[in-house]
Amino acid sequence: MRAIQVQEFGGPEVLRLADVPVPEPGDGEVLVRVTRAGINYADTHQRRNAYLAKAELPLIPGTEVAGVREDTGTRVVALTGTGGYAEYAIAPEALTVPIPDGVDDGTALALLVQGLTAWHLYRTSARIREGETVVVHAGAGGVGSLAVQLGRPMGAGRVIATASSEEKRALAVELGADAAVDGAPEGLADRLVAANGGRRVDVVFEMAGGDVFEQSLDALAPFGRLVAYGNASGEPNEVQTGRLMRRSAAVVGFWLMHCVGRHEMLAIPLADLFARAARGELRVIVGATYPLSEAARAHEDMQARRTTGKLLLDPAG
């Protein structure tokens, strides 16, 4: 089968098309004929072996696929861990979910990782209280575009998005943000406070790290929470206890992989997200679909912030 294989860690150029054997499922696993593979920012970290979970070479990247179960013919979406950038992938049966009728592959993939992440940012990590102001960084991105829309249903009183361009900020407002500001680090805390009518914000969903993290923490009101669910900048942060105590603030980390194996944290919220999408309450932004052979270009575009919404790979391309 055709697959993207990494023989050495590095930049996008290490993502090379290869011919490898079709994997064989073991006990509790299923073989999926992949129709679309999802691309996540975490894949760029995995490619460099800078992800939370260390990778081993040779590596076929890709943590999620949509396709057809070879044993039953059922359309499914699945978490694979690795191996998704290929024509066939293995997934644990417990992490393989049927796709409801009327839901396309891109929507299912967006809801599987980005949707579940956005859901848990509100419910599990931030534990939003009614009427609070929520800041969603990268409000036109995969997680951000869904988190913006979930704000009101989850109880937020005001949603402020950040984005890197006027076009992306306009999209965030169209999706339901009350305000959208430039997400550049310099002066970010002041812009967030100004967008909240001069008041500090209650919750920030943060995935950049570095200076954006620092500015976001500065913008928090007393008893505010910053939820860190990524580190796109690659820059580490350190937080002193005194800085937290001065505002009774909290910094919370979130990694979706800790939800794996917990039915109430995967299947139940995913069913909720599918239902919201089916009722038209959730607009899933599916961005570009790249041929499998152009996985490197997909990573380049994502890292350069040239993309919007959920990115996909077509194994037939």
Side-chain angles (χ1 to χ4, degrees):
M1 70 173 185
R2 298 164 73 248
I4 294 296
Q5 192 174 62
V6 174
Q7 295 282 359
E8 58 181 331
F9 297 118
E13 71 280 357
V14 304
L15 298 172
R16 300 189 181 100
L17 196 62
D19 188 20
V20 301
V22 174
E24 295 186 6
D27 291 342
E29 295 180 329
V30 298
L31 178 65
V32 178
R33 177 169 52 82
V34 181
T35 52
R36 290 291 185 273
I39 305 173
N40 296 297
Y41 205 94
D43 299 348
T44 69
H45 294 301
Q46 188 182 60
R47 186 196 70 222
R48 295 182 287 110
N49 202 24
Y51 193 46
L52 291 172
K54 294 304 178 183
E56 295 181 2
L57 296 175
L59 167 71
I60 297 175
T63 60
E64 52 173 9
V65 298
V68 178
R69 279 184 62 157
E70 284 290 282
D71 56 350
T72 65
T74 306
R75 283 184 68 229
V76 294
V77 65
L79 287 171
T80 58
T82 60
Y85 290 13
E87 292 181 310
Y88 290 88
I90 295 293
E93 187 167 21
L95 303 180
T96 302
V97 180
I99 299 175
D101 292 340
V103 175
D104 61 68
D105 287 350
T107 297
L109 282 167
L111 294 178
L112 179 64
V113 171
Q114 279 79 17
L116 281 173
T117 296
W119 195 97
H120 282 294
L121 292 179
Y122 281 102
R123 286 284 185 257
T124 304
S125 297
R127 301 185 182 183
I128 293 294
R129 293 186 284 267
E130 197 72 27
E132 290 188 313
T133 295
V134 176
V135 173
V136 178
H137 285 310
V143 174
S145 61
L146 295 169
V148 163
Q149 296 176 73
L150 287 172
R152 284 287 195 280
M154 294 290 190
R158 184 170 178 80
V159 176
I160 300 169
T162 74
S164 59
S165 70
E166 286 288 353
E167 181 182 13
K168 290 183 178 181
R169 290 193 285 274
L171 174 59
V173 171
E174 181 184 333
L175 292 174
D178 296 286
V181 303
D182 186 354
E186 187 175 354
L188 179 57
D190 290 338
R191 291 194 297 277
L192 294 178
V193 171
N196 198 37
R199 301 180 305 278
R200 295 183 181 277
V201 301
D202 300 301
V203 172
V204 180
F205 297 149
E206 203 285 306
M207 35 58 68
D211 290 340
V212 173
F213 178 99
E214 300 297 339
Q215 290 282 316
S216 299
L217 196 53
D218 284 345
L220 284 182
F223 299 104
R225 287 91 71 206
L226 187 156
V227 183
Y229 68 99
N231 186 24
S233 70
E235 300 173 9
N237 295 93
E238 294 183 1
V239 180
Q240 289 75 38
T241 52
R243 188 179 182 189
L244 298 179
M245 292 169 63
R246 275 190 287 275
R247 293 221 183 96
S248 296
V251 175
V252 182
F254 177 77
W255 188 26
L256 184 61
M257 290 304 102
H258 287 132
C259 299
V260 170
R262 304 184 186 195
H263 178 79
E264 74 281 3
M265 300 189 84
L266 277 180
I268 292 175
L270 187 58
D272 177 41
L273 291 165
F274 280 149
R276 291 177 190 272
R279 293 194 299 265
E281 297 171 7
L282 207 53
R283 174 183 166 192
V284 176
I285 306 297
V286 178
T289 298
Y290 296 79
L292 184 66
S293 58
E294 296 186 20
R297 180 166 67 88
H299 278 219
E300 290 169 355
D301 289 348
M302 175 178 281
Q303 288 185 276
R305 298 187 178 184
R306 292 192 289 262
T307 63
T308 299
K310 182 64 180 177
L311 302 185
L312 308 172
L313 283 178
D314 180 358

